[in-house]
Amino acid sequence: MFIMGLDLGQAADFTALSIIDYQQEPRSFLVRHLQRFPLGTPYPEMVDRCIEIRQQLKGGALCIDATGVGRPVLDLFYEKGLTPVAITITGGDIARSRAEVEAAAKKSAGLFYTPSLRERMSWTVPKRDLVGSLLVAFQNHELKISSAIPDSKTLITEILNFRMKINTKTGHDSYEAWRDGQHDDLVLCVSLPVWFLMRAGARPGAKVSPGQMTGQNLSPAPTLTETPTDSWGNPRGFTLGDIPGL
């Protein structure tokens, strides 16, 4: 099963595309393709490229970053007849589908409600959950990156530059690059499909049916339980030793 991830950038940020080959038994996420679009590439051209690749793969789901500029790009996919998994990245604590939110509102008003496909495929997801799912896959030796991919080293660099930042006043966590000027587009374009596949599969070895891939009845995704620590037990940055399968 192939699933694509598209992280949309703006004027000074790259738009990045990944293709994940998902194997169910044993569960593994194989990064088969990484692509950064040149800065200034028109969004309609990116959409056409994604559709072209999807046709070459003979189908497969597409997860896109619907945050900010992602909303109008999502409409371009709708106009082409596709309904991607639309993920709006938030700083909240809980991942929710638009269908869940609408259903709760209608239920409180005593109304019957049947969610549309677009609503079932639209999610708001904390960045913590996206990055956490990716790191869980690394820690479980489930995510493999081919060294033959030209941008594989760039993806590794982005992962190594990531850190978790805790707000001491609110207790909320956020993820950011270690240094200003570092990009995170490749990390996010890989995290999007890995997160969604974990929602659909729930546990290693679980079967993923076409019905689950439409966003219905998805189980909670595993989140990051711990970060690497030094000999004193303090959080440290990731190293190549934390990333299996290279």
Side-chain angles (χ1 to χ4, degrees), residues 34-79:
L34 291 171
Q35 176 181 349
R36 269 179 165 172
F37 290 92
L39 294 177
T41 302
Y43 291 121
E45 182 177 327
M46 299 178 189
V47 172
D48 290 340
R49 176 58 177 156
C50 289
I51 294 175
E52 177 186 353
I53 293 176
R54 185 175 180 273
Q55 290 172 342
Q56 294 173 355
L57 296 175
K58 301 185 185 302
L62 169 64
C63 296
I64 79 165
D65 172 15
T67 312
V69 72
R71 302 309 301 180
V73 176
L74 182 61
D75 289 337
L76 293 177
F77 281 106
Y78 290 156
E79 292 174 2

Side-chain angles (χ1 to χ4, degrees), residues 4-238:
M4 302 163 61
L6 182 66
D7 176 60
L8 293 161
Q10 300 189 44
D13 300 315
F14 289 104
T15 291
L17 174 69
S18 71
I19 298 177
I20 305 298
D21 182 359
Y22 177 61
Q23 308 290 329
Q24 294 186 333
E25 292 183 357
R27 186 174 78 173
S28 59
F29 309 90
L30 311 179
V31 181
R32 297 294 193 186
H33 176 74
L34 291 171
Q35 176 181 349
R36 269 179 165 172
F37 290 92
L39 294 177
T41 302
Y43 291 121
E45 182 177 327
M46 299 178 189
V47 172
D48 290 340
R49 176 58 177 156
C50 289
I51 294 175
E52 177 186 353
I53 293 176
R54 185 175 180 273
Q55 290 172 342
Q56 294 173 355
L57 296 175
K58 301 185 185 302
L62 169 64
C63 296
I64 79 165
D65 172 15
T67 312
V69 72
R71 302 309 301 180
V73 176
L74 182 61
D75 289 337
L76 293 177
F77 281 106
Y78 290 156
E79 292 174 2
K80 298 287 186 177
L82 294 182
T83 304
V85 180
I87 297 177
T88 300
I89 303 173
T90 70
D93 296 320
I94 302 175
R96 295 181 181 276
S97 71
R98 183 179 170 190
E100 291 175 314
V101 175
E102 293 292 334
K106 295 295 191 296
K107 183 177 180 179
S108 64
L111 301 175
F112 178 77
Y113 170 70
T114 301
S116 67
L117 176 61
R118 291 184 183 180
E119 288 172 329
R120 295 198 303 269
M121 299 283 272
S122 298
W123 291 80
T124 55
V125 182
K127 194 172 186 179
R128 170 187 60 194
D129 285 16
L130 292 175
V131 179
S133 294
L134 182 65
L135 296 179
V136 166
F138 278 138
Q139 292 168 358
N140 290 340
H141 297 257
E142 295 173 338
L143 195 142
K144 310 293 183 181
I145 307 169
S146 172
S147 59
I149 299 176
D151 281 324
S152 61
K153 292 183 178 180
T154 306
L155 172 60
I156 295 169
T157 299
E158 287 187 9
I159 295 173
L160 298 183
N161 285 330
F162 249 74
R163 65 176 177 182
M164 183 174 68
K165 181 178 181 180
I166 302 294
N167 186 315
T168 56
K169 294 183 178 180
T170 64
H172 291 167
D173 57 335
S174 62
Y175 290 86
E176 60 182 21
W178 280 108
R179 297 179 295 276
D180 292 338
Q182 291 290 339
H183 296 284
D184 61 3
D185 50 286
L186 292 178
V187 166
L188 290 178
C189 79
V190 174
S191 297
L192 294 170
V194 168
W195 174 85
F196 186 71
L197 285 166
M198 283 190 172
R199 294 287 302 210
R203 295 180 304 277
K207 295 290 186 179
V208 179
S209 67
Q212 287 176 303
M213 294 305 292
T214 64
Q216 304 179 67
N217 303 319
L218 299 184
S219 304
T223 56
L224 183 62
T225 56
E226 60 181 11
T227 57
T229 57
D230 58 23
S231 58
W232 298 95
N234 298 315
R236 63 169 174 81
F238 290 95

